[in-house]
Amino acid sequence: MLHQVLYAALAKLRHLEAAVVAYRRAAALAPPSSDLRADFYWRVLRGLGRATDGEQEMRAAARDARSVKVCTGLADLLVNQGRLDEALAMCEEALAIEPGRSGAHFQRARAHFLAGDFAAAWPDYAARRRFAGLLVVRAARPLPAAGAADGTGLASHWGRGAGVGRAP
């Protein structure tokens, strides 16, 4: 338990390498929960760019319990690796558990966008205004109403990151 507390403190302080050591020590004493594994991916491994370790943790978490956090974490990891079909499957699983989950919609939009399916990406991208925990920022120009089928509106705004950001 002490190692888990130490891990959480180090991760929060962004001492990521030290957090890895504390997490591994905690895991050696007792198997981590799926939530702790998912937290380890989101807070530490993702920040360190350790995709292989991240996938191992997230797959282990998924074996323990299928949760929105775990499915969304796997989707994020898979999108970052370019494994878009697998990422879309994880997004669908997360949305089956909790249909309004912003992270799953966001990851699904990313996967569709990167696959070049702009028409499929737009509804999830445009829905960002409904999501709790996201801060909508006014773009310098209004976003296109429905998103062009060729993706020009979405691509230009997505590439600049306009319109969405994490709430503090």
Side-chain angles (χ1 to χ4, degrees):
M1 182 68 170
L2 180 60
H3 288 293
Q4 284 184 3
V5 172
L6 180 60
Y7 152 74
L10 290 168
K12 186 172 186 168
L13 292 171
R14 307 281 301 149
H15 296 292
L16 303 183
E17 291 294 344
V20 169
V21 172
Y23 176 85
R24 298 282 183 227
R25 288 182 179 159
L29 296 173
S33 68
S34 62
D35 282 343
L36 183 61
R37 287 180 186 277
D39 182 74
F40 183 52
Y41 166 69
W42 281 111
R43 290 175 119 185
V44 178
L45 296 176
R46 189 171 190 265
L48 290 170
R50 294 187 184 172
T52 303
D53 291 341
E55 185 169 1
Q56 289 174 352
E57 288 297 328
M58 294 307 287
R59 296 268 181 214
R63 281 191 300 273
D64 294 343
R66 288 287 205 212
S67 71
V68 174
K69 187 175 184 177
V70 169
C71 293
T72 304
L74 262 171
D76 175 74
L77 186 140
L78 294 166
V79 167
N80 291 340
Q81 293 179 345
R83 295 161 56 189
L84 304 178
D85 290 337
E86 292 175 77
L88 287 169
M90 283 291 105
C91 290
E92 295 305 323
E93 191 168 331
L95 291 168
I97 297 168
E98 190 177 326
R101 188 59 171 250
S102 63
H105 282 283
F106 182 74
Q107 294 303 333
R108 187 167 68 178
R110 282 182 62 212
H112 281 304
F113 177 74
L114 292 171
D117 189 351
F118 304 114
W122 186 258
D124 285 316
Y125 176 78
R128 72 200 181 287
R129 296 181 190 283
R130 295 191 318 256
F131 300 148
L134 289 180
L135 173 66
V136 176
V137 179
R138 299 243 182 250
R141 296 180 269 172
L143 294 175
D150 66 359
T152 55
L154 177 62
S156 65
H157 289 288
W158 192 284
R160 290 194 318 265
V164 82
R166 283 266 162 224

